[in-house]
Amino acid sequence: MDTSRDIGTFVVWDYVVFAGMLVISAVIGIYYAFAGGGQQTSKDFLMGGRRMTAVPVALSLTASFMSAVTVLGTPSEVYRFGAIFSIFAFTYFFVVVISAEIFLPVFYKLGITSTYEYLELRFNKCVRLCGTVLFIVQTILYTGIVIYAPALALNQVTGFDLWGAVVATGVVCTFYCTLGGLKAVIWTDVFQVGIMVAGFASVIIRAAVIQGGISTILNDAYNGGRLNFWNFNPNPLQRHTFWTIIIGGTFTWTTIYGVNQSQVQRYISCKSRFQAKLSLYINLVGLWAILICSVLCGLALYSRYRDCDPWTANKLSAPDQLMPYLVLDILQDYPGLPGLFVACAYSGTLSTVSSSINALAAVTVEDLIKPYFRSLSEKSLSWISQGMSVLYGALCIGMAALASLVGALLQAALTIFGMVGGPLMGLFALGILVPFANSIGALVGLMAGFVISLWVGIGAQIYPPLPERTMPLPLDIYGCNSTYNETNLMTTTERPFTTSAFQIHNVQRTPLMDNWYSLSYLYFSTVGTLVTLLVGILVSLSTGGRKQNLDPRYILTKEDFLSNFDIFKKKMHVLSYKSHPVEDGGTDNPAFNHIELNFPDQSGKSNGTRL
């Protein structure tokens, strides 16, 4: 087929830029392996010795969930469904506040390495084990996809070698995770955020120049109905409306920011609790910046291809390939810049994968090895942590190879992320917010939430929702002056959104499918969380949860909120390992070991649970 526009290909300079990004990441790992006496203990390796400051941690938090899925997926999402995606800006704000004010204080004052340690402290060993296993499975699945998805999209457009890219990313990640531990992960993330912003900026600037300014891009978007911000339809079945994004999005993202080991491990590695909260709030700015960049890229895509959509015209096999296609289209005269964009997509991947590997190592060492092999010295634990990093790195590359065999499972696995994350968040919320919850309630609630979210998630995979639920906006191809068979001239795209291996076609739609399975994917984790909470509360109440004696450190107390204002009391509290800030006039409470905890007078005295 002859195309109206020829797109460029990858040249030597692009490979040089890309390789440069990998090399710098590896060098940072080597530097942290030897800087400051290297990684003496497993605490150094997994927590950066708890000496990090807010800004690098904030950038690292931003980077690790802005994976290549964001870099390639969000612009094509905006191109196809409009800029309503930018409502996520509000969602991010709520998520950060919830994480910083509810989950962070409890995790930080307990000084834990693995979030699942909390589950044992608050409930029992069995609950902790369930949480750990769910997390490990979910993270390996997710990481395999994060490595494979961008490699595939870039390979099909740019001819960038597929397995070369997969293995290179996997190996480099494993390399600097193993050598440098959490410090290396955090500092490479800082570097990679820089690369991501540079990649986005080059695309936006060049597109604005070609299309004749940002105003033209916005005008085109407005005329094409792409600026659809105000959709206040309360129907939970529609994929993206104001409410699904605010409510569903907040739940989905809080599972990632509030309780996901990869994130919690980061902000717990800060020096003081003030720095930890600060890092979350600074990271909010980073999230907003990346969101704005990717939405602008999506509108630039529309402006460029509004009369000739390369996806409908069958030049691409999946919407994820739109971004690389645009890059080769508009940056072909600038050797090195397409390479910068690929480096941008890949640094998203690297940062996500490295945080996953480090988190998996932390969870394995803390939850599966330490409790059962108590005699190990710190040095050998540090070696074991490094060995675990290598093992999980290899597993993730293997998972990527598996993802290539079941290429259609991409969305399935991202849904699994929501399906597993929801009940897990419900479990933590139960522990932190509900003083009378007990371990029976927690286990039953977790099971119930898990079953229900699996049911709705897998149902939605098998019987995908109809187009009137997802509401794709029209894309046109009348402007492609190529020779087409008449059949290709459909103006609106009715191409199926999920290409799932399990899809069952031409089946009689039942009310169950049209209502329950058509639930917006953002609500999957909401359903999981709420079911877990509700069942957990009911079961706990019926099995005598109100009678238990509970250490007030394990739940959110008034003091945790009020301590935000300690900054104004001029005395900065430095938090040492496993201790508690002493308030003015706090006296020792003989009910607890003095080393562990100093509590303000009134609250520590009451034993049992105050309701």
Side-chain angles (χ1 to χ4, degrees), residues 258-287:
V259 301
N260 189 317
Q261 174 67 27
S262 330
Q263 297 297 75
V264 176
Q265 197 174 344
R266 294 279 186 10
Y267 52 66
I268 288 181
S269 70
C270 291
K271 320 186 210 201
S272 65
R273 188 166 80 183
F274 174 65
Q275 294 278 341
K277 285 195 174 174
L278 196 63
S279 73
L280 272 171
Y281 287 114
I282 297 174
N283 140 66
L284 183 58
V285 179
L287 285 177

PDB file of all heavy atoms in Angstrom, residues 258-287:
ATOM      1  N   GLY A 258      -0.929   3.599  48.472  1.00  0.00           N
ATOM      2  CA  GLY A 258      -1.076   3.462  49.908  1.00  0.00           C
ATOM      3  C   GLY A 258      -0.471   2.181  50.432  1.00  0.00           C
ATOM      4  O   GLY A 258       0.192   2.182  51.456  1.00  0.00           O
ATOM      5  N   VAL A 259      -0.695   1.052  49.756  1.00  0.00           N
ATOM      6  CA  VAL A 259      -0.304  -0.214  50.358  1.00  0.00           C
ATOM      7  C   VAL A 259       0.636  -1.059  49.517  1.00  0.00           C
ATOM      8  O   VAL A 259       1.080  -2.096  49.960  1.00  0.00           O
ATOM      9  CB  VAL A 259      -1.540  -1.073  50.705  1.00  0.00           C
ATOM     10  CG1 VAL A 259      -2.430  -0.331  51.655  1.00  0.00           C
ATOM     11  CG2 VAL A 259      -2.303  -1.477  49.476  1.00  0.00           C
ATOM     12  N   ASN A 260       0.944  -0.633  48.276  1.00  0.00           N
ATOM     13  CA  ASN A 260       1.826  -1.465  47.462  1.00  0.00           C
ATOM     14  C   ASN A 260       3.260  -1.374  47.971  1.00  0.00           C
ATOM     15  O   ASN A 260       3.809  -0.294  48.116  1.00  0.00           O
ATOM     16  CB  ASN A 260       1.762  -1.010  46.016  1.00  0.00           C
ATOM     17  CG  ASN A 260       2.467  -1.960  45.100  1.00  0.00           C
ATOM     18  OD1 ASN A 260       3.556  -2.434  45.411  1.00  0.00           O
ATOM     19  ND2 ASN A 260       1.868  -2.261  43.987  1.00  0.00           N
ATOM     20  N   GLN A 261       3.857  -2.539  48.210  1.00  0.00           N
ATOM     21  CA  GLN A 261       5.211  -2.589  48.756  1.00  0.00           C
ATOM     22  C   GLN A 261       6.196  -1.705  47.997  1.00  0.00           C
ATOM     23  O   GLN A 261       7.002  -1.009  48.598  1.00  0.00           O
ATOM     24  CB  GLN A 261       5.691  -4.044  48.742  1.00  0.00           C
ATOM     25  CG  GLN A 261       7.123  -4.232  49.150  1.00  0.00           C
ATOM     26  CD  GLN A 261       7.380  -3.903  50.593  1.00  0.00           C
ATOM     27  OE1 GLN A 261       6.497  -3.995  51.414  1.00  0.00           O
ATOM     28  NE2 GLN A 261       8.585  -3.499  50.893  1.00  0.00           N
ATOM     29  N   SER A 262       6.139  -1.704  46.669  1.00  0.00           N
ATOM     30  CA  SER A 262       7.119  -0.935  45.879  1.00  0.00           C
ATOM     31  C   SER A 262       7.092   0.536  46.269  1.00  0.00           C
ATOM     32  O   SER A 262       8.116   1.202  46.285  1.00  0.00           O
ATOM     33  CB  SER A 262       6.839  -1.028  44.376  1.00  0.00           C
ATOM     34  OG  SER A 262       6.252  -2.238  44.053  1.00  0.00           O
ATOM     35  N   GLN A 263       5.886   1.058  46.554  1.00  0.00           N
ATOM     36  CA  GLN A 263       5.794   2.471  46.887  1.00  0.00           C
ATOM     37  C   GLN A 263       6.086   2.725  48.362  1.00  0.00           C
ATOM     38  O   GLN A 263       6.824   3.639  48.715  1.00  0.00           O
ATOM     39  CB  GLN A 263       4.387   2.983  46.557  1.00  0.00           C
ATOM     40  CG  GLN A 263       4.049   2.906  45.101  1.00  0.00           C
ATOM     41  CD  GLN A 263       4.945   3.778  44.271  1.00  0.00           C
ATOM     42  OE1 GLN A 263       6.092   3.446  44.039  1.00  0.00           O
ATOM     43  NE2 GLN A 263       4.447   4.887  43.814  1.00  0.00           N
ATOM     44  N   VAL A 264       5.500   1.898  49.231  1.00  0.00           N
ATOM     45  CA  VAL A 264       5.646   2.121  50.667  1.00  0.00           C
ATOM     46  C   VAL A 264       7.118   2.050  51.066  1.00  0.00           C
ATOM     47  O   VAL A 264       7.617   2.853  51.847  1.00  0.00           O
ATOM     48  CB  VAL A 264       4.817   1.088  51.453  1.00  0.00           C
ATOM     49  CG1 VAL A 264       5.044   1.239  52.939  1.00  0.00           C
ATOM     50  CG2 VAL A 264       3.344   1.269  51.138  1.00  0.00           C
ATOM     51  N   GLN A 265       7.828   1.084  50.465  1.00  0.00           N
ATOM     52  CA  GLN A 265       9.243   0.913  50.758  1.00  0.00           C
ATOM     53  C   GLN A 265      10.015   2.197  50.489  1.00  0.00           C
ATOM     54  O   GLN A 265      10.947   2.526  51.193  1.00  0.00           O
ATOM     55  CB  GLN A 265       9.749  -0.187  49.840  1.00  0.00           C
ATOM     56  CG  GLN A 265      11.055  -0.764  50.255  1.00  0.00           C
ATOM     57  CD  GLN A 265      11.395  -1.933  49.380  1.00  0.00           C
ATOM     58  OE1 GLN A 265      10.542  -2.464  48.689  1.00  0.00           O
ATOM     59  NE2 GLN A 265      12.622  -2.345  49.399  1.00  0.00           N
ATOM     60  N   ARG A 266       9.595   2.931  49.436  1.00  0.00           N
ATOM     61  CA  ARG A 266      10.254   4.184  49.102  1.00  0.00           C
ATOM     62  C   ARG A 266      10.074   5.199  50.202  1.00  0.00           C
ATOM     63  O   ARG A 266      11.007   5.747  50.717  1.00  0.00           O
ATOM     64  CB  ARG A 266       9.637   4.788  47.857  1.00  0.00           C
ATOM     65  CG  ARG A 266       9.857   3.988  46.664  1.00  0.00           C
ATOM     66  CD  ARG A 266      11.227   4.306  46.166  1.00  0.00           C
ATOM     67  NE  ARG A 266      11.515   3.682  44.919  1.00  0.00           N
ATOM     68  CZ  ARG A 266      10.689   3.072  44.146  1.00  0.00           C
ATOM     69  NH1 ARG A 266       9.464   2.970  44.468  1.00  0.00           N
ATOM     70  NH2 ARG A 266      11.072   2.536  43.043  1.00  0.00           N
ATOM     71  N   TYR A 267       8.782   5.481  50.552  1.00  0.00           N
ATOM     72  CA  TYR A 267       8.656   6.617  51.465  1.00  0.00           C
ATOM     73  C   TYR A 267       9.034   6.252  52.891  1.00  0.00           C
ATOM     74  O   TYR A 267       9.345   7.124  53.686  1.00  0.00           O
ATOM     75  CB  TYR A 267       7.319   7.341  51.348  1.00  0.00           C
ATOM     76  CG  TYR A 267       6.033   6.569  51.440  1.00  0.00           C
ATOM     77  CD1 TYR A 267       5.651   5.939  52.607  1.00  0.00           C
ATOM     78  CD2 TYR A 267       5.165   6.532  50.357  1.00  0.00           C
ATOM     79  CE1 TYR A 267       4.445   5.279  52.694  1.00  0.00           C
ATOM     80  CE2 TYR A 267       3.956   5.868  50.445  1.00  0.00           C
ATOM     81  CZ  TYR A 267       3.592   5.248  51.614  1.00  0.00           C
ATOM     82  OH  TYR A 267       2.400   4.607  51.699  1.00  0.00           O
ATOM     83  N   ILE A 268       9.075   4.947  53.215  1.00  0.00           N
ATOM     84  CA  ILE A 268       9.547   4.575  54.544  1.00  0.00           C
ATOM     85  C   ILE A 268      11.067   4.757  54.633  1.00  0.00           C
ATOM     86  O   ILE A 268      11.625   4.889  55.710  1.00  0.00           O
ATOM     87  CB  ILE A 268       9.139   3.126  54.878  1.00  0.00           C
ATOM     88  CG1 ILE A 268       7.644   3.065  55.133  1.00  0.00           C
ATOM     89  CG2 ILE A 268       9.844   2.604  56.104  1.00  0.00           C
ATOM     90  CD1 ILE A 268       7.153   1.699  55.480  1.00  0.00           C
ATOM     91  N   SER A 269      11.756   4.794  53.475  1.00  0.00           N
ATOM     92  CA  SER A 269      13.210   4.932  53.518  1.00  0.00           C
ATOM     93  C   SER A 269      13.653   6.367  53.791  1.00  0.00           C
ATOM     94  O   SER A 269      14.834   6.649  53.814  1.00  0.00           O
ATOM     95  CB  SER A 269      13.817   4.441  52.206  1.00  0.00           C
ATOM     96  OG  SER A 269      13.491   5.338  51.174  1.00  0.00           O
ATOM     97  N   CYS A 270      12.699   7.289  53.971  1.00  0.00           N
ATOM     98  CA  CYS A 270      13.061   8.678  54.278  1.00  0.00           C
ATOM     99  C   CYS A 270      13.580   8.821  55.704  1.00  0.00           C
ATOM    100  O   CYS A 270      13.277   8.015  56.559  1.00  0.00           O
ATOM    101  CB  CYS A 270      11.853   9.584  54.124  1.00  0.00           C
ATOM    102  SG  CYS A 270      11.340   9.749  52.426  1.00  0.00           S
ATOM    103  N   LYS A 271      14.343   9.940  55.962  1.00  0.00           N
ATOM    104  CA  LYS A 271      14.941  10.108  57.286  1.00  0.00           C
ATOM    105  C   LYS A 271      13.901  10.334  58.365  1.00  0.00           C
ATOM    106  O   LYS A 271      14.029   9.854  59.468  1.00  0.00           O
ATOM    107  CB  LYS A 271      15.817  11.351  57.373  1.00  0.00           C
ATOM    108  CG  LYS A 271      16.660  11.697  56.273  1.00  0.00           C
ATOM    109  CD  LYS A 271      17.511  12.880  56.723  1.00  0.00           C
ATOM    110  CE  LYS A 271      17.828  13.702  55.543  1.00  0.00           C
ATOM    111  NZ  LYS A 271      18.926  14.555  55.618  1.00  0.00           N
ATOM    112  N   SER A 272      12.908  11.177  58.080  1.00  0.00           N
ATOM    113  CA  SER A 272      11.948  11.517  59.127  1.00  0.00           C
ATOM    114  C   SER A 272      10.558  11.429  58.525  1.00  0.00           C
ATOM    115  O   SER A 272      10.408  11.373  57.309  1.00  0.00           O
ATOM    116  CB  SER A 272      12.181  12.945  59.607  1.00  0.00           C
ATOM    117  OG  SER A 272      11.909  13.830  58.543  1.00  0.00           O
ATOM    118  N   ARG A 273       9.549  11.436  59.386  1.00  0.00           N
ATOM    119  CA  ARG A 273       8.203  11.305  58.847  1.00  0.00           C
ATOM    120  C   ARG A 273       7.814  12.537  58.054  1.00  0.00           C
ATOM    121  O   ARG A 273       7.075  12.443  57.072  1.00  0.00           O
ATOM    122  CB  ARG A 273       7.206  11.073  59.968  1.00  0.00           C
ATOM    123  CG  ARG A 273       5.868  10.750  59.365  1.00  0.00           C
ATOM    124  CD  ARG A 273       4.938  10.202  60.362  1.00  0.00           C
ATOM    125  NE  ARG A 273       4.374  11.294  61.133  1.00  0.00           N
ATOM    126  CZ  ARG A 273       3.558  11.105  62.129  1.00  0.00           C
ATOM    127  NH1 ARG A 273       3.257   9.880  62.489  1.00  0.00           N
ATOM    128  NH2 ARG A 273       3.068  12.114  62.787  1.00  0.00           N
ATOM    129  N   PHE A 274       8.347  13.690  58.462  1.00  0.00           N
ATOM    130  CA  PHE A 274       8.054  14.904  57.716  1.00  0.00           C
ATOM    131  C   PHE A 274       8.563  14.773  56.274  1.00  0.00           C
ATOM    132  O   PHE A 274       7.855  15.074  55.318  1.00  0.00           O
ATOM    133  CB  PHE A 274       8.699  16.100  58.411  1.00  0.00           C
ATOM    134  CG  PHE A 274       8.576  17.372  57.627  1.00  0.00           C
ATOM    135  CD1 PHE A 274       7.330  17.922  57.396  1.00  0.00           C
ATOM    136  CD2 PHE A 274       9.703  18.007  57.124  1.00  0.00           C
ATOM    137  CE1 PHE A 274       7.200  19.091  56.663  1.00  0.00           C
ATOM    138  CE2 PHE A 274       9.575  19.175  56.393  1.00  0.00           C
ATOM    139  CZ  PHE A 274       8.322  19.714  56.165  1.00  0.00           C
ATOM    140  N   GLN A 275       9.802  14.259  56.128  1.00  0.00           N
ATOM    141  CA  GLN A 275      10.363  14.067  54.787  1.00  0.00           C
ATOM    142  C   GLN A 275       9.513  13.073  53.988  1.00  0.00           C
ATOM    143  O   GLN A 275       9.326  13.228  52.782  1.00  0.00           O
ATOM    144  CB  GLN A 275      11.795  13.524  54.882  1.00  0.00           C
ATOM    145  CG  GLN A 275      12.784  14.478  55.482  1.00  0.00           C
ATOM    146  CD  GLN A 275      13.305  15.478  54.477  1.00  0.00           C
ATOM    147  OE1 GLN A 275      13.211  15.259  53.282  1.00  0.00           O
ATOM    148  NE2 GLN A 275      13.832  16.582  54.959  1.00  0.00           N
ATOM    149  N   ALA A 276       9.011  12.046  54.677  1.00  0.00           N
ATOM    150  CA  ALA A 276       8.226  11.025  53.972  1.00  0.00           C
ATOM    151  C   ALA A 276       6.944  11.628  53.408  1.00  0.00           C
ATOM    152  O   ALA A 276       6.591  11.400  52.254  1.00  0.00           O
ATOM    153  CB  ALA A 276       7.907   9.878  54.921  1.00  0.00           C
ATOM    154  N   LYS A 277       6.258  12.435  54.243  1.00  0.00           N
ATOM    155  CA  LYS A 277       5.025  13.067  53.753  1.00  0.00           C
ATOM    156  C   LYS A 277       5.341  14.046  52.638  1.00  0.00           C
ATOM    157  O   LYS A 277       4.636  14.122  51.630  1.00  0.00           O
ATOM    158  CB  LYS A 277       4.314  13.800  54.891  1.00  0.00           C
ATOM    159  CG  LYS A 277       3.634  12.842  55.820  1.00  0.00           C
ATOM    160  CD  LYS A 277       2.644  13.527  56.734  1.00  0.00           C
ATOM    161  CE  LYS A 277       1.904  12.452  57.514  1.00  0.00           C
ATOM    162  NZ  LYS A 277       1.026  12.998  58.527  1.00  0.00           N
ATOM    163  N   LEU A 278       6.424  14.803  52.849  1.00  0.00           N
ATOM    164  CA  LEU A 278       6.818  15.788  51.854  1.00  0.00           C
ATOM    165  C   LEU A 278       7.059  15.098  50.514  1.00  0.00           C
ATOM    166  O   LEU A 278       6.643  15.599  49.464  1.00  0.00           O
ATOM    167  CB  LEU A 278       8.097  16.485  52.328  1.00  0.00           C
ATOM    168  CG  LEU A 278       8.441  17.775  51.607  1.00  0.00           C
ATOM    169  CD1 LEU A 278       7.338  18.781  51.861  1.00  0.00           C
ATOM    170  CD2 LEU A 278       9.761  18.323  52.111  1.00  0.00           C
ATOM    171  N   SER A 279       7.703  13.920  50.555  1.00  0.00           N
ATOM    172  CA  SER A 279       8.015  13.249  49.293  1.00  0.00           C
ATOM    173  C   SER A 279       6.731  12.884  48.557  1.00  0.00           C
ATOM    174  O   SER A 279       6.655  13.016  47.336  1.00  0.00           O
ATOM    175  CB  SER A 279       8.855  11.992  49.542  1.00  0.00           C
ATOM    176  OG  SER A 279       8.057  10.977  50.093  1.00  0.00           O
ATOM    177  N   LEU A 280       5.688  12.482  49.295  1.00  0.00           N
ATOM    178  CA  LEU A 280       4.428  12.173  48.625  1.00  0.00           C
ATOM    179  C   LEU A 280       3.820  13.419  47.988  1.00  0.00           C
ATOM    180  O   LEU A 280       3.310  13.372  46.875  1.00  0.00           O
ATOM    181  CB  LEU A 280       3.430  11.565  49.618  1.00  0.00           C
ATOM    182  CG  LEU A 280       3.512  10.053  49.761  1.00  0.00           C
ATOM    183  CD1 LEU A 280       2.651   9.577  50.904  1.00  0.00           C
ATOM    184  CD2 LEU A 280       3.050   9.384  48.480  1.00  0.00           C
ATOM    185  N   TYR A 281       3.876  14.546  48.722  1.00  0.00           N
ATOM    186  CA  TYR A 281       3.253  15.750  48.164  1.00  0.00           C
ATOM    187  C   TYR A 281       4.043  16.309  46.985  1.00  0.00           C
ATOM    188  O   TYR A 281       3.464  16.854  46.051  1.00  0.00           O
ATOM    189  CB  TYR A 281       3.052  16.808  49.258  1.00  0.00           C
ATOM    190  CG  TYR A 281       1.929  16.427  50.200  1.00  0.00           C
ATOM    191  CD1 TYR A 281       2.157  16.138  51.534  1.00  0.00           C
ATOM    192  CD2 TYR A 281       0.617  16.321  49.728  1.00  0.00           C
ATOM    193  CE1 TYR A 281       1.119  15.774  52.380  1.00  0.00           C
ATOM    194  CE2 TYR A 281      -0.414  15.944  50.563  1.00  0.00           C
ATOM    195  CZ  TYR A 281      -0.167  15.670  51.888  1.00  0.00           C
ATOM    196  OH  TYR A 281      -1.191  15.295  52.706  1.00  0.00           O
ATOM    197  N   ILE A 282       5.381  16.178  47.006  1.00  0.00           N
ATOM    198  CA  ILE A 282       6.158  16.660  45.858  1.00  0.00           C
ATOM    199  C   ILE A 282       5.890  15.763  44.652  1.00  0.00           C
ATOM    200  O   ILE A 282       5.766  16.223  43.513  1.00  0.00           O
ATOM    201  CB  ILE A 282       7.670  16.668  46.178  1.00  0.00           C
ATOM    202  CG1 ILE A 282       7.963  17.640  47.318  1.00  0.00           C
ATOM    203  CG2 ILE A 282       8.475  17.074  44.955  1.00  0.00           C
ATOM    204  CD1 ILE A 282       9.394  17.612  47.787  1.00  0.00           C
ATOM    205  N   ASN A 283       5.754  14.463  44.934  1.00  0.00           N
ATOM    206  CA  ASN A 283       5.501  13.510  43.868  1.00  0.00           C
ATOM    207  C   ASN A 283       4.197  13.840  43.144  1.00  0.00           C
ATOM    208  O   ASN A 283       4.050  13.594  41.945  1.00  0.00           O
ATOM    209  CB  ASN A 283       5.490  12.106  44.495  1.00  0.00           C
ATOM    210  CG  ASN A 283       4.435  11.201  43.938  1.00  0.00           C
ATOM    211  OD1 ASN A 283       4.482  10.834  42.783  1.00  0.00           O
ATOM    212  ND2 ASN A 283       3.481  10.829  44.757  1.00  0.00           N
ATOM    213  N   LEU A 284       3.245  14.466  43.860  1.00  0.00           N
ATOM    214  CA  LEU A 284       1.989  14.877  43.236  1.00  0.00           C
ATOM    215  C   LEU A 284       2.258  15.815  42.060  1.00  0.00           C
ATOM    216  O   LEU A 284       1.652  15.687  40.988  1.00  0.00           O
ATOM    217  CB  LEU A 284       1.120  15.568  44.289  1.00  0.00           C
ATOM    218  CG  LEU A 284      -0.272  16.019  43.857  1.00  0.00           C
ATOM    219  CD1 LEU A 284      -1.059  14.835  43.357  1.00  0.00           C
ATOM    220  CD2 LEU A 284      -1.017  16.672  45.005  1.00  0.00           C
ATOM    221  N   VAL A 285       3.210  16.746  42.260  1.00  0.00           N
ATOM    222  CA  VAL A 285       3.556  17.682  41.185  1.00  0.00           C
ATOM    223  C   VAL A 285       4.092  16.914  39.973  1.00  0.00           C
ATOM    224  O   VAL A 285       3.731  17.192  38.827  1.00  0.00           O
ATOM    225  CB  VAL A 285       4.599  18.703  41.689  1.00  0.00           C
ATOM    226  CG1 VAL A 285       4.979  19.658  40.582  1.00  0.00           C
ATOM    227  CG2 VAL A 285       4.040  19.448  42.885  1.00  0.00           C
ATOM    228  N   GLY A 286       4.940  15.909  40.257  1.00  0.00           N
ATOM    229  CA  GLY A 286       5.480  15.095  39.172  1.00  0.00           C
ATOM    230  C   GLY A 286       4.385  14.369  38.410  1.00  0.00           C
ATOM    231  O   GLY A 286       4.381  14.319  37.169  1.00  0.00           O
ATOM    232  N   LEU A 287       3.429  13.792  39.155  1.00  0.00           N
ATOM    233  CA  LEU A 287       2.319  13.084  38.515  1.00  0.00           C
ATOM    234  C   LEU A 287       1.541  14.026  37.606  1.00  0.00           C
ATOM    235  O   LEU A 287       1.187  13.673  36.489  1.00  0.00           O
ATOM    236  CB  LEU A 287       1.379  12.503  39.578  1.00  0.00           C
ATOM    237  CG  LEU A 287       1.853  11.272  40.322  1.00  0.00           C
ATOM    238  CD1 LEU A 287       0.852  10.863  41.378  1.00  0.00           C
ATOM    239  CD2 LEU A 287       2.045  10.120  39.347  1.00  0.00           C
TER     240      LEU A 287
END
